[in-house]
Amino acid sequence: MAGNVTSLFRDGAGAGPVDFRVAGNPYFPTPGMFDELAARLREIVTSCPSDPCTDTDTVIAELSALLHLPPQCVAVGNGTTELIAWIDHSLVRESLAVPVPTSGRWTGRPAVTGKRVDMFPLQEADGFALDLDRYAGFLRARGSRAAVVCTPNNPDGGRPRREHLVRFLDTMADLDLVVVDESYLEFADAEPEPSLAQEAVLRPNVIVLRSLGKSLGLPGVRLGCLAADPALAGRIRSLLPKRNLGSLAEHVVSLLRDHGPAYARSRDRIREDRRDMTARLATLPGLTVYPSQADFVLVRLPVGAEGTVVRDRLLTGHRLLVRDCGDKIGSSSRFLRLAVRPQADVRRLVPALEQVLYASATGSGYSSGTATVDRLIGETSGAGLRPTGAGSEAAAPRSGVPAPAVGTGIPLPAAVPPVPVAPPVPVAHPVPVAHPEPVAPWAPAASTSPGVPARGGLTAAQVRGTVRPVETRPRKEDRPWQNTGT
């Protein structure tokens, strides 16, 4: 597969590959700004980073002015990853609570450093929405001393209302630390002023994280910052390595100062693209699209569709790269996180997804009734088909439940009376006989959700006999095409 991926990027034939894995800003910097950067590239990369005793304060002053915060309340890092590492090292003492699924930085880093990670499961049935009151009760019950809220959350893009978050901060005033990760907040539009940075500087135990590299369209330039009260921000600044920002990252700060209107227009275009992308994806039968306030959209594939298979077929058959969420705690490979892309790219993605999921003519799609199965499971509250037969309540169709239309999916099994079977006749030399696969019974009350791994690592759909178990996923080191980021 690695060779196939390499050939996709080197082969000039056909439409070029489109990456829906890494969220970013395709509209910023503008082509003219890149020309400016190219003209100054020699000067930038041959200069040493700022003197930490003098010029770094100037960089922080510029960035804090853009964020409308006092300079003493800001710390700047080589990406938010560096800031998270120092927060974990110096401020998280015993335990950290985090809703899951979320960014792997919050579930992985504290566990590696020996902290207890209290994971609060977000419910698929609730659209992965974070109930802050329930989360607060979970923190009290677990005795967690630090907590994280990602808003918007990764991978679903959901976020609580600002007033609810402020109330949560007030409730958690006795904790050692509350981190509000706003890495993807630049593209939210549900509220006019969604950030909690102004609230953080007034509270001694709150840190707000902001990521700038990806939102500026420059993920390779590691640039992140945090806002906190002066004492807390100063403590983090004292721990950061000297010259932790490179010359290019420092120069990027000036892009916001000199090209603010262009940056604002780029964010508006991404919001428009997100609305268009969400609407187009919602037209695919059986595909669940979750509302997002970030620059990515989470979708749940129809029952029977395996994310790793869909991912690979989109790559090899359509030159589209997507990210499945099978490696995220609290999620599964039935979910895809799709970066928001310009509308021309989405017009390639949606037909490709439709072909991979439903087209049976080529034998490469999920044409075995995934849309109908999804509807059926929804109508029976996840119970699937009831046993059929003489005297069975399920032998007659339930009122209000339409039968599948012709050609739309798996036909419902008819009630067939049992047929007497003659006892087997022994033979001298038994010959292996190919038997059809046994049909798994459909339980009348299955408690496992369709997309949640059940016994033996199978999804509920597989347990019920809807689809066959897929092969074991290759190790991440054997899948170089898969994004290893968050």
XYZ file of all heavy atoms in Angstrom, residues 238-288:
403
model
N 8.374 30.650 32.310
C 9.663 30.364 32.949
C 10.150 28.948 32.645
O 11.349 28.667 32.755
C 9.539 30.557 34.461
O 8.696 29.560 35.038
N 9.232 28.053 32.252
C 9.605 26.669 31.962
C 9.963 26.446 30.500
O 10.692 25.496 30.181
C 8.447 25.730 32.334
C 8.059 25.670 33.816
C 6.753 24.902 33.979
C 9.164 25.012 34.632
N 9.471 27.287 29.621
C 9.675 27.059 28.194
C 11.142 27.208 27.824
O 11.855 28.071 28.361
C 8.838 28.052 27.384
C 7.320 27.843 27.448
C 6.595 29.028 26.812
C 6.927 26.543 26.765
N 11.627 26.389 26.890
C 13.020 26.523 26.454
C 13.271 27.882 25.810
O 12.375 28.476 25.199
C 13.168 25.397 25.418
C 12.049 24.452 25.693
C 10.930 25.268 26.232
N 14.479 28.379 25.964
C 14.843 29.632 25.326
C 14.875 29.445 23.811
O 15.242 28.389 23.310
C 16.204 30.118 25.820
C 16.305 30.237 27.337
C 15.231 31.160 27.910
C 15.365 31.277 29.425
N 14.259 32.088 30.008
N 14.474 30.473 23.106
C 14.399 30.443 21.643
C 13.543 29.270 21.161
O 13.920 28.530 20.256
C 15.807 30.354 21.014
C 16.725 31.519 21.344
C 18.033 31.382 20.591
N 19.008 32.374 20.982
C 19.130 33.588 20.431
N 18.307 33.924 19.452
N 20.048 34.429 20.839
N 12.406 29.067 21.793
C 11.554 27.945 21.388
C 10.781 28.236 20.102
O 10.169 27.333 19.534
C 10.576 27.585 22.512
C 9.587 28.697 22.813
O 9.932 29.872 22.734
N 8.379 28.331 23.178
N 10.801 29.480 19.649
C 10.198 29.816 18.365
C 11.288 30.038 17.332
O 12.292 30.708 17.607
C 9.350 31.089 18.481
C 8.063 31.025 19.294
C 7.318 32.343 19.170
C 7.185 29.881 18.845
N 11.071 29.488 16.135
C 12.007 29.741 15.052
C 11.728 31.076 14.388
O 10.702 31.726 14.621
N 12.628 31.499 13.518
C 12.483 32.794 12.850
C 11.243 32.831 11.974
O 10.566 33.861 11.882
C 13.731 33.078 12.003
O 14.890 33.104 12.803
N 10.930 31.717 11.314
C 9.756 31.696 10.447
C 8.479 31.846 11.259
O 7.564 32.586 10.876
C 9.731 30.398 9.641
C 8.592 30.261 8.628
C 8.613 31.402 7.625
C 8.685 28.921 7.901
N 8.393 31.149 12.410
C 7.202 31.276 13.249
C 7.043 32.703 13.757
O 5.917 33.231 13.822
C 7.291 30.303 14.427
N 8.154 33.324 14.113
C 8.066 34.716 14.564
C 7.572 35.622 13.446
O 6.778 36.536 13.680
C 9.441 35.186 15.055
C 9.891 34.518 16.343
C 11.255 35.002 16.785
O 11.898 35.744 16.012
O 11.680 34.643 17.887
N 8.013 35.360 12.227
C 7.594 36.195 11.110
C 6.104 36.017 10.813
O 5.438 36.965 10.379
C 8.419 35.856 9.860
C 8.104 36.716 8.685
N 8.544 38.023 8.564
C 7.373 36.460 7.560
C 8.103 38.535 7.428
N 7.392 37.609 6.800
N 5.592 34.810 11.069
C 4.183 34.543 10.790
C 3.280 35.431 11.639
O 2.182 35.808 11.210
C 3.878 33.051 11.024
C 2.382 32.789 11.096
C 4.494 32.212 9.929
N 3.728 35.805 12.836
C 2.925 36.681 13.683
C 2.622 37.987 12.964
O 1.515 38.545 13.069
C 3.636 36.945 15.021
C 2.848 37.946 15.874
C 3.817 35.643 15.781
N 3.590 38.468 12.198
C 3.380 39.732 11.479
C 2.352 39.584 10.363
O 1.767 40.583 9.920
C 4.700 40.242 10.900
O 5.175 39.379 9.875
N 2.105 38.357 9.892
C 1.093 38.173 8.857
C -0.285 38.562 9.379
O -1.094 39.161 8.659
C 1.079 36.718 8.381
C 2.330 36.196 7.678
C 2.117 34.742 7.253
C 2.681 37.052 6.475
N -0.561 38.196 10.625
C -1.844 38.571 11.204
C -1.948 40.084 11.391
O -3.006 40.675 11.186
C -2.029 37.877 12.547
C -2.390 36.391 12.508
C -2.381 35.815 13.912
C -3.755 36.199 11.877
N -0.861 40.697 11.762
C -0.880 42.144 11.984
C -1.076 42.901 10.676
O -1.843 43.865 10.606
C 0.442 42.578 12.638
C 0.553 44.079 12.916
C 1.985 44.425 13.266
N 2.884 44.107 12.147
C 4.191 43.867 12.291
N 4.732 43.853 13.495
N 4.936 43.604 11.236
N -0.406 42.445 9.603
C -0.425 43.182 8.335
C -1.533 42.730 7.393
O -1.845 43.442 6.433
C 0.924 43.025 7.624
C 2.074 43.575 8.456
O 1.819 44.469 9.291
O 3.215 43.107 8.289
N -2.099 41.538 7.635
C -3.083 40.999 6.685
C -4.323 40.488 7.430
O -4.899 39.464 7.049
C -2.462 39.863 5.865
C -1.259 40.277 5.077
N -1.346 40.882 3.838
C 0.077 40.177 5.346
C -0.134 41.132 3.371
N 0.751 40.714 4.273
N -4.727 41.207 8.443
C -5.892 40.800 9.217
C -7.165 40.658 8.400
O -7.893 39.661 8.535
N -7.506 41.620 7.517
C -8.734 41.477 6.717
C -8.725 40.241 5.829
O -9.751 39.570 5.687
C -8.764 42.769 5.893
C -8.001 43.763 6.719
C -6.908 42.963 7.359
N -7.580 39.905 5.236
C -7.512 38.705 4.389
C -7.720 37.446 5.222
O -8.366 36.490 4.769
C -6.164 38.644 3.671
N -7.208 37.454 6.447
C -7.397 36.308 7.329
C -8.872 36.158 7.707
O -9.422 35.045 7.726
C -6.533 36.467 8.576
C -6.651 35.342 9.575
C -6.486 34.017 9.190
C -6.924 35.607 10.911
C -6.601 32.984 10.111
C -7.025 34.592 11.837
C -6.869 33.281 11.429
O -6.979 32.261 12.345
N -9.534 37.267 7.989
C -10.955 37.213 8.337
C -11.778 36.681 7.161
O -12.697 35.879 7.352
C -11.441 38.602 8.750
N -11.438 37.105 5.939
C -12.163 36.603 4.763
C -11.936 35.108 4.574
O -12.851 34.375 4.177
C -11.735 37.371 3.516
C -12.238 38.810 3.451
C -12.032 39.408 2.074
N -10.623 39.502 1.716
C -9.846 40.542 1.985
N -10.356 41.593 2.652
N -8.585 40.566 1.624
N -10.726 34.638 4.868
C -10.446 33.204 4.707
C -11.293 32.377 5.669
O -11.787 31.308 5.312
C -8.954 32.934 4.929
O -8.594 33.030 6.309
N -11.475 32.852 6.872
C -12.302 32.124 7.831
C -13.762 32.100 7.393
O -14.461 31.086 7.559
C -12.165 32.730 9.224
C -10.789 32.497 9.848
C -10.725 33.050 11.253
N -10.853 34.506 11.245
C -11.075 35.240 12.330
N -11.235 34.658 13.508
N -11.146 36.547 12.252
N -14.240 33.211 6.835
C -15.618 33.239 6.334
C -15.810 32.236 5.202
O -16.856 31.580 5.119
C -15.966 34.646 5.844
C -16.131 35.642 6.986
O -16.381 35.196 8.128
O -16.003 36.855 6.736
N -14.822 32.097 4.347
C -14.938 31.142 3.236
C -14.972 29.701 3.751
O -15.708 28.860 3.228
C -13.779 31.336 2.257
C -13.801 32.660 1.520
C -12.679 32.755 0.513
N -12.858 31.822 -0.599
C -12.001 31.717 -1.622
N -10.905 32.458 -1.645
N -12.233 30.859 -2.596
N -14.189 29.404 4.784
C -14.201 28.049 5.346
C -15.552 27.752 5.987
O -16.086 26.639 5.863
C -13.057 27.888 6.361
C -11.711 27.872 5.620
C -13.224 26.604 7.181
C -10.516 27.814 6.520
N -16.140 28.724 6.660
C -17.467 28.512 7.241
C -18.496 28.226 6.154
O -19.369 27.373 6.313
C -17.863 29.731 8.060
C -17.010 29.930 9.315
C -17.159 31.330 9.844
N -16.281 31.545 10.999
C -15.818 32.735 11.363
N -16.153 33.823 10.665
N -15.027 32.860 12.418
N -18.398 28.960 5.045
C -19.308 28.713 3.925
C -19.068 27.327 3.339
O -20.023 26.596 3.020
C -19.114 29.792 2.859
C -20.038 29.649 1.662
C -19.812 30.732 0.627
O -19.101 31.714 0.926
O -20.338 30.597 -0.490
N -17.804 26.941 3.190
C -17.484 25.602 2.681
C -18.006 24.517 3.617
O -18.455 23.458 3.159
C -15.969 25.447 2.513
C -15.421 26.246 1.348
O -16.222 26.665 0.496
O -14.197 26.469 1.305
N -17.942 24.757 4.920
C -18.429 23.766 5.885
C -19.928 23.558 5.729
O -20.413 22.418 5.775
C -18.095 24.224 7.303
C -18.519 23.226 8.387
C -18.091 23.731 9.752
N -18.737 24.980 10.109
C -18.190 25.914 10.884
N -16.992 25.738 11.391
N -18.848 27.031 11.157
N -20.668 24.644 5.556
C -22.114 24.509 5.358
C -22.419 23.746 4.074
O -23.294 22.861 4.051
C -22.772 25.892 5.330
C -22.795 26.587 6.683
C -23.633 27.847 6.647
N -22.999 28.904 5.874
C -22.192 29.830 6.398
N -21.931 29.810 7.691
N -21.653 30.761 5.637
N -21.693 24.059 3.004
C -21.915 23.353 1.739
C -21.536 21.885 1.851
O -22.269 21.005 1.389
C -21.085 24.025 0.633
C -21.128 23.266 -0.671
O -22.109 23.416 -1.418
O -20.170 22.505 -0.960
N -20.412 21.598 2.500
C -19.938 20.219 2.645
C -20.913 19.400 3.485
O -21.237 18.253 3.146
C -18.550 20.230 3.276
C -17.909 18.866 3.441
S -16.205 19.069 4.046
C -15.707 17.350 4.191
N -21.406 19.985 4.573
C -22.356 19.281 5.427
C -23.628 18.950 4.658
O -24.162 17.833 4.759
C -22.688 20.133 6.663
O -21.476 20.380 7.398
C -23.688 19.446 7.560
N -24.123 19.902 3.876
C -25.357 19.676 3.123
C -25.168 18.594 2.067
O -26.049 17.751 1.862
C -25.814 20.983 2.476
N -24.031 18.587 1.381
C -23.794 17.595 0.337
C -23.634 16.196 0.938
O -24.154 15.214 0.401
C -22.562 17.969 -0.485
C -22.771 19.197 -1.373
C -21.514 19.533 -2.166
N -21.686 20.736 -2.950
C -22.207 20.761 -4.188
N -22.585 19.625 -4.755
N -22.337 21.900 -4.839
N -22.903 16.084 2.039
C -22.727 14.779 2.667
C -24.054 14.238 3.193
O -24.292 13.028 3.182
C -21.718 14.880 3.807
C -20.260 15.096 3.411
C -19.427 15.453 4.641
C -19.686 13.869 2.712
N -24.928 15.125 3.648
C -26.206 14.691 4.223
C -27.128 14.076 3.183
O -28.129 13.451 3.542
C -26.897 15.875 4.901
N -26.817 14.234 1.899
C -27.663 13.629 0.860
C -27.385 12.143 0.671
O -28.165 11.466 0.002
C -27.448 14.343 -0.486
O -26.083 14.165 -0.916
C -27.739 15.831 -0.369
N -26.306 11.620 1.244
C -25.962 10.204 1.072
C -26.791 9.357 2.024
O -26.764 9.575 3.241
C -24.468 9.986 1.321
C -23.516 10.691 0.352
C -22.073 10.408 0.715
C -23.794 10.275 -1.082
N -27.530 8.373 1.523
C -28.393 7.556 2.388
C -27.580 6.797 3.431
O -26.535 6.222 3.137
C -29.059 6.590 1.400
C -28.914 7.222 0.058
C -27.635 7.997 0.102
N -28.077 6.806 4.656
C -27.448 6.038 5.722
C -26.246 6.688 6.343
O -25.717 6.183 7.331
N -25.773 7.822 5.791
C -24.604 8.513 6.338
C -25.077 9.550 7.351
O -25.934 10.380 7.036
C -23.818 9.195 5.218
C -22.423 9.697 5.582
C -21.439 8.533 5.662
C -21.933 10.725 4.562
N -24.542 9.486 8.567
C -24.879 10.461 9.600
C -23.820 11.545 9.625
O -22.628 11.255 9.728
C -24.959 9.791 10.983
O -25.942 8.752 10.945
C -25.341 10.800 12.053
